Amino acid sequence: METIIQMLSIRPELGVLVVGNADPTEAGDHVEISISRAISVAEYIASRGIDRKRVLVEGAGSTNPVDTSGSKRAVALNRRVEFVVFQLGK
């Protein structure tokens, strides 16, 4: 995440989409959980001096697991955020 923050600091023409993901085993609404996860990361990025308008959030729910084995490691890997960097105004 620090690499993303550094890049945004020196490249004001860029923004980032923070995509939250949930594990299928998490209790509750997976989309809501993933959005909350993405918002937490976006707020942290903003707290480091990046204009919040440059940081978008999206919740993917549990639709894109990276590991479906059900192990503790799989659960941890699926509870994640991903970053998509984009040029502002495009």
Side-chain angles (χ1 to χ4, degrees):
M1 186 167 6
E2 293 305 315
T3 302
I4 295 290
I5 293 168
Q6 290 174 356
M7 180 196 55
L8 292 171
S9 294
I10 62 174
R11 303 278 308 271
E13 74 278 11
L14 298 178
V16 66
L17 171 64
V18 181
V19 182
N21 291 271
D23 183 75
T25 64
E26 288 183 88
D29 182 328
H30 295 154
V31 173
E32 194 173 302
I33 291 167
S34 62
I35 290 170
S36 178
R37 191 165 281 141
I39 289 171
S40 293
V41 171
E43 289 174 352
Y44 175 75
I45 292 170
S47 78
R48 296 289 307 277
I50 304 302
D51 185 346
R52 183 63 173 82
K53 293 176 186 172
R54 295 172 58 200
V55 185
L56 306 178
V57 298
E58 181 178 293
S62 59
T63 60
N64 192 26
V66 293
D67 190 334
T68 58
S69 70
S71 69
K72 287 182 181 180
R73 181 177 184 278
V75 170
L77 288 172
N78 292 330
R79 294 176 179 178
R80 69 188 187 286
V81 296
E82 299 171 334
F83 299 102
V84 179
V85 178
F86 61 92
Q87 187 157 352
L88 294 171
K90 292 196 174 189

